[in-house]
Amino acid sequence: MSPRPCLYVVLAAGKGARMKSSLPKVLHKIAGQSMLAHVLGTASSTGGRFAVVVAPGAEAVAAEAKRLVPDVQIFEQANQRGTADAVLAAKPAFPDSKGLDVIVLFADTPLVRPEVIAEMRDSLDGGAGIAVLGFRPKDPTGYGRLLLDDTCTLTAIREEKDASDAERNIDLCNSGAMAFRVPDLAALLARIGCDNAKGEFYLTDAVAVGREAGVRATVVVCNEDDVVGVNSREQLAQAEAIWQRRMRSKFMRDGVTMIAPETVWLSFDTRIAGDVRIEPNVIFGPGVTVEEGAEILGFCHVEGAVVGKGVRLGPFARLRPGARLGENVHIGNFVEVKNVTLGAGAKANHLSYLGDGSVGAGANIGAGTIFCNYDGFNKQLTEVGEEAFVGSNSSLVAPVKIGKGAYIGSGSVITKDVSPGALALERSAQEERPGWAEKFRIMMSRRKAAQKK
Ligand code: UD1
Ligand code: CA
């Protein structure tokens, strides 16, 4: 791939009206991260400077861009007069030295891969001044068509609204992404007019205008999945589906078993090591790392968590942010863990809430245990020592410490620290009345009989 520095111009000033949303279109998420972040992430993996073109007052979009690329340059496009006008809004960022690449990407086309960008740049190395990323969609409706001459040279791009019937039959379409290496991009774009069906300044006209000035244009053809555009919520879901499919395949290639991959949902930053086995219907929110050999049984929801080596999780377990499961930890059905570190081999197998604190290595948390971490104002910590045994249906009222190896009797409400090795019991003594049940039954049946009379 070309080592030359380049400038990415990411267009994000469109209205996105078809999303019917108060949120700007490019901030809608795919795999838990904004479309803008996907585009900036892909581009920044190849190196270069960044300019993002936003609509006036789109502070949230600018803030998202700065979060991802702190030295990004933000430009406002005063009026949405078309894609060429949008690129010109970033003119102050254009390289002043000749022959540097400018790559235009659309923020609503989030799935472009770095390899595809690299191919566009390589084709500029071959002497072309403009490289257009083309594709052959199943349904070309709505896309600009790429017009080639007899020698397969790109001569122009025709927007659908301006195309003749013959041109509409062309199946090679414009994805929107373009790369330029021309002596003066601003001058080239300034020659583009707006005499067309939409009355807009089309970036796509750079091909025909450039040709008149002796600039050669070329096409790089990619897969439809790489350039899916998002204009509606339905297309947002389609892009999500493509992203998920790609990422599941990547993990399976890297040695992860998924029994029903189409039911496993990943996030942009999910990390899963080799020999992990994942059963159906598992959802990974952002910030999850799964270490080697862990097993995630069906219907788990995992977010902001570390699942250590050899862990067995689920079925039906929920890990919330700050859950850190050490090696060989077992977390079973209907257990929720939030902001708790569990040491190696610790177990909580049934129906528990563990929130804020720590569980030492080898400790056993019985069924129905609750860490009572919240008093309506503050969150407090529960610390369970190594090898401790917490009996079923115990409430540990934080802040509280259970010493190493201690036992908690079932059903206890523990409000005070428990010393290492001790047994703590908090419940009334059991009473027994011999023969009581029989007497009770006789009394009750007599009463019932009397009522019937
Ligand atoms: C554009 C292409 C078309 C291509 C299609 C692929 C042009 C003229 N047409 O059409 O050939 O097949 O994408 O999806 O380029 N934007 C601005 N300011 C503007 C107008 C647009 O920033 O004034 C941004 C939008 O936010 C969006 C991108 O540019 O990210 C594309 O604009 P859009 O109006 O969606 O173009 P299409 O009609 O889809
Ligand atoms: Ca579009």
Side-chain angles (χ1 to χ4, degrees):
M1 144 113 176
S2 169
R4 289 184 311 278
C6 70
L7 170 72
Y8 286 97
V9 178
V10 178
L11 303 191
K15 293 187 195 74
R18 278 174 285 170
M19 294 298 281
K20 304 226 166 70
S21 177
S22 56
L23 188 71
K25 173 164 83 174
V26 300
L27 298 187
H28 282 263
K29 289 178 177 173
I30 289 172
Q33 111 171 320
S34 70
M35 289 197 267
L36 179 61
H38 279 274
V39 173
L40 290 175
T42 301
S44 61
S45 72
T46 70
R49 290 191 296 121
F50 284 86
V52 175
V53 179
V54 303
E59 270 95 25
V61 177
E64 173 73 342
K66 283 181 191 146
R67 181 178 75 81
L68 295 149
V69 181
D71 62 354
V72 67
Q73 286 179 279
I74 305 288
F75 298 95
E76 285 193 355
Q77 183 191 16
N79 298 299
Q80 276 58 72
R81 299 191 302 165
T83 44
D85 180 64
V87 176
L88 268 177
K91 181 176 156 182
F94 288 0
D96 38 23
S97 52
K98 286 180 187 175
L100 290 187
D101 300 359
V102 175
I103 299 161
V104 177
L105 300 175
F106 293 172
D108 70 353
T109 305
L111 303 186
V112 185
R113 285 175 300 127
E115 296 89 310
V116 173
I117 295 174
E119 251 187 87
M120 292 172 74
R121 299 195 67 191
D122 287 346
S123 74
L124 294 182
D125 288 340
I130 304 175
V132 173
L133 187 59
F135 69 117
R136 292 193 166 81
K138 278 174 224 92
D139 174 12
T141 310
Y143 291 113
R145 307 297 204 281
L146 303 187
L147 311 189
L148 308 179
D149 68 12
D150 298 342
T151 65
C152 285
T153 304
L154 179 64
T155 56
I157 304 178
R158 192 78 74 233
E159 289 306 296
E160 182 166 270
K161 284 191 172 159
D162 302 294
S164 67
D165 287 347
E167 287 167 344
R168 283 185 196 192
N169 282 334
I170 295 170
D171 68 342
L172 185 59
C173 291
N174 176 29
S175 73
M178 289 170 84
F180 296 90
R181 192 196 298 163
V182 292
D184 189 348
L185 179 59
L188 173 66
L189 299 183
R191 288 207 293 278
I192 292 173
C194 62
D195 180 17
N196 53 50
K198 281 171 92 178
E200 285 189 358
F201 295 90
Y202 293 159
L203 180 64
T204 46
D205 283 345
V207 171
V209 168
R211 189 175 163 82
E212 286 161 21
V215 175
R216 188 162 70 79
T218 182
V219 184
V220 169
V221 179
C222 72
N223 194 307
E224 184 170 8
D225 282 357
D226 286 320
V227 287
V228 57
V230 175
N231 298 305
S232 63
R233 307 256 184 176
E234 215 172 349
Q235 287 173 329
L236 182 70
Q238 283 160 1
E240 176 84 39
I242 293 168
W243 190 95
Q244 293 292 341
R245 225 182 297 133
R246 262 189 201 171
M247 209 45 90
R248 292 168 191 139
S249 300
K250 179 198 166 287
F251 280 125
M252 289 188 283
R253 281 197 305 275
D254 291 349
V256 174
T257 295
M258 294 185 188
I259 293 172
E262 66 285 2
T263 68
V264 173
W265 295 88
L266 304 157
S267 275
F268 69 100
D269 60 351
T270 306
R271 294 196 296 186
I272 309 178
D275 279 330
V276 167
R277 182 177 166 275
I278 301 172
E279 288 195 350
N281 298 301
V282 172
I283 296 177
F284 294 96
V288 175
T289 300
V290 184
E291 294 172 359
E292 227 172 354
E295 201 178 5
I296 303 183
L297 309 188
F299 298 94
C300 289
H301 192 285
V302 187
E303 184 184 354
V306 176
V307 178
K309 279 187 188 156
V311 161
R312 204 178 69 200
L313 181 68
F316 297 99
R318 178 166 185 211
L319 300 185
R320 291 172 51 203
R324 311 189 103 73
L325 317 190
E327 213 165 312
N328 299 324
V329 161
H330 287 185
I331 295 291
N333 40 234
F334 308 107
V335 174
E336 174 179 348
V337 182
K338 185 216 71 173
N339 193 29
V340 171
T341 300
L342 290 102
K347 293 190 177 107
N349 274 328
H350 331 268
L351 299 152
S352 289
Y353 172 62
L354 313 182
D356 298 304
S358 57
V359 175
N364 191 336
I365 307 290
T369 297
I370 306 290
F371 284 14
C372 307
N373 59 330
Y374 186 51
D375 55 16
F377 296 92
N378 295 305
K379 302 268 166 71
Q380 308 282 1
L381 298 183
T382 299
E383 293 165 60
V384 177
E386 285 173 24
E387 302 292 334
F389 186 98
V390 178
S392 296
N393 195 31
S394 297
S395 301
L396 307 181
V397 181
V400 71
K401 287 185 183 145
I402 313 299
K404 184 173 173 179
Y407 264 72
I408 306 297
S410 297
S412 298
V413 177
I414 299 296
T415 54
K416 291 186 268 211
D417 289 355
V418 176
S419 314
L423 165 68
L425 268 180
E426 190 282 336
R427 60 191 189 212
S428 34
Q430 189 167 324
E431 182 189 1
E432 190 161 317
R433 303 181 189 177
W436 180 93
E438 180 63 13
K439 284 182 217 157
F440 178 74
R441 287 194 191 100
I442 292 168
M443 179 185 80
M444 291 310 276
S445 10
R446 278 186 189 151
R447 256 190 220 171
K448 264 217 147 150
Q451 278 168 1
K452 277 188 190 154
K453 275 183 192 162

